[in-house]
Amino acid sequence: MNLAADLVNRPPADAEELAARCRTAGLVLERPTTAEDLDRARYALESWEKVVDAADEQERAALVNRMLEEAAAYPRMTDHAGSGWHLHYRDDRKPLGDVLFSLIAVGTALHLAGRGMHRLRRCAVAECDAVFADTSRTGRQRYCSQLCANRDAVRRHRARGQENEASSMYKGKSSSSVRKSITGSV
Ligand SMILES: [Zn+2]
Ligand SMILES: [Zn+2]
């Protein structure tokens, strides 16, 4: 989930970068990554962004189901990395692009079904646009990062200051004191 958000928010420039970032996220890559993998990854991320931007729960579920259908494979146990048996929702021999598609489809379905259908969205800062999976305790995370949360807090604080100024103008203050309070805040 976080890998998908990371790749959407900062798209990889080439196959090598895609491979490196998947490896960093803990994926075990068993074959060289190709331009085809990059294409397939882009397609997976495009499909996923539609899930993120779905208008309501029904549409969101339908889009996830479409991805699951396309990724369909029976789950299987594997010890491919020699680090312990675990479950894969795919064939081990698939190229990275297909692995990513399955991983994103199944990961999204588990996340939404387990934590709540609304827990996938874009940052509340209008010009940020970053996608995140909400894993907060309350499920009401609004920002992609602390940085954006701070940005918005500062902005709201400023907006409130201007409102106060505007309302004080209508309280019969002399124009010079209004001017003073305006210039004082700049
Ligand atoms: Zn594995
Ligand atoms: Zn943000």
Side-chain angles (χ1 to χ4, degrees):
M1 210 57 342
N2 291 330
L3 175 60
D6 174 51
L7 293 173
V8 161
N9 296 338
R10 202 162 45 88
D14 51 35
E16 284 71 41
E17 191 191 332
L18 175 67
R21 295 203 12 221
C22 288
R23 232 178 260 121
T24 307
L27 274 184
V28 181
L29 309 187
E30 279 149 349
R31 47 166 78 200
T33 305
T34 64
E36 212 172 295
D37 286 317
L38 188 63
D39 279 350
R40 183 82 177 140
R42 283 186 178 139
Y43 170 67
L45 295 171
E46 267 166 35
S47 311
W48 189 66
E49 273 193 274
K50 287 183 191 144
V51 173
V52 172
D53 296 325
D56 55 37
E57 286 187 8
Q58 257 64 35
E59 187 189 324
R60 179 166 275 186
L63 289 167
V64 173
N65 282 342
R66 205 175 300 162
M67 285 188 81
L68 287 170
E69 190 183 344
E70 215 173 306
Y74 57 89
R76 65 207 82 198
M77 300 195 66
T78 175
D79 187 25
H80 63 127
S83 54
W85 289 96
H86 56 286
L87 200 56
H88 274 186
Y89 290 88
R90 55 177 158 87
D91 187 335
D92 271 345
R93 290 157 304 186
K94 275 190 168 177
L96 177 63
D98 289 338
V99 168
L100 266 181
F101 193 99
S102 315
L103 218 56
I104 290 173
V106 175
T108 302
L110 289 173
H111 171 75
L112 295 176
R115 291 180 184 264
M117 288 301 285
H118 65 288
R119 282 177 176 254
L120 188 62
R121 65 181 81 91
R122 290 189 190 266
C123 183
V125 171
E127 68 274 18
C128 172
D129 212 37
V131 177
F132 65 90
D134 184 352
T135 54
S136 68
R137 195 177 50 80
T138 58
R140 271 183 248 133
Q141 187 182 332
R142 298 185 61 223
Y143 305 100
C144 69
S145 61
Q146 193 55 45
L147 192 74
C148 274
N150 294 343
R151 259 163 90 192
D152 214 36
V154 167
R155 184 175 310 168
R156 270 180 286 136
H157 183 76
R158 286 212 186 109
R160 215 173 299 136
Q162 274 160 13
E163 250 165 53
N164 290 344
E165 249 162 42
S167 65
S168 72
M169 283 173 137
Y170 295 104
K171 280 177 190 153
K173 274 193 181 182
S174 76
S175 57
S176 71
S177 76
V178 168
R179 211 172 300 129
K180 226 175 280 163
S181 75
I182 290 171
T183 48
S185 73
V186 173

